[in-house]
Amino acid sequence: QVQLVESGGGEVESGGSLTLSCAVSGIRFSSFTMGWFRQAPGKQREQVATISVRGEPSTVDSLKGRFTISRDTGKNTVSLQMDALKPEDTAVYYCNAKHLYTNSEYWGQGTQVTVSA
């Protein structure tokens, strides 16, 4: 059974930091590109950052310098460090796993991040 379990969400004041984690089981972690997406109320889900099977991170331009993705292949986890948070970062954050060759895709249940002004 494939499981992606996010943790670390919560409420933080503007300018604060949070670290999200996603524990992955049931798949060969090393064969999956991992990513974080978010969905704010009334908006479409959008990509935040991805990290390749080789550990090469990529953050969307608008979040570069504030959000950093990393993965730990020994622990089968992927993390998202979020700094200098803004109210517009408020959203449900989802962990995503996408197979390198087949494009099979899995999602976590999401974790709420709320940034107060």
Side-chain angles (χ1 to χ4, degrees):
Q1 182 183 0
V2 180
Q3 284 192 311
L4 281 69
V5 181
E6 300 101 335
S7 61
E11 186 167 353
V12 64
E13 292 185 349
S14 182
S17 297
L18 279 176
T19 301
L20 305 182
S21 293
C22 175
V24 181
S25 60
I27 58 174
R28 179 176 287 186
F29 186 71
S30 60
S31 296
F32 283 77
T33 297
M34 299 301 302
W36 286 96
F37 291 70
R38 68 184 183 183
Q39 188 167 17
K43 295 189 177 181
Q44 289 190 330
R45 191 173 297 189
E46 63 177 2
Q47 182 176 299
V48 172
T50 60
I51 187 163
S52 73
V53 297
R54 291 190 294 270
E56 298 155 326
S58 177
T59 302
V60 297
D61 287 345
S62 61
L63 299 175
K64 282 181 179 176
R66 296 196 301 121
F67 286 26
T68 305
I69 189 171
S70 61
R71 66 191 291 164
D72 186 330
T73 54
K75 296 181 179 179
N76 284 11
T77 59
V78 59
S79 298
L80 183 69
Q81 175 68 39
M82 305 185 293
D83 298 317
L85 283 161
K86 305 175 181 180
E88 51 264 43
D89 295 319
T90 295
V92 178
Y93 284 72
Y94 296 91
C95 180
N96 172 268
K98 192 171 184 179
H99 194 276
L100 180 61
Y101 299 116
T102 69
N103 284 336
S104 296
E105 199 166 20
Y106 303 97
W107 293 90
Q109 81 288 349
T111 186
Q112 176 70 46
V113 172
T114 302
V115 184
S116 57

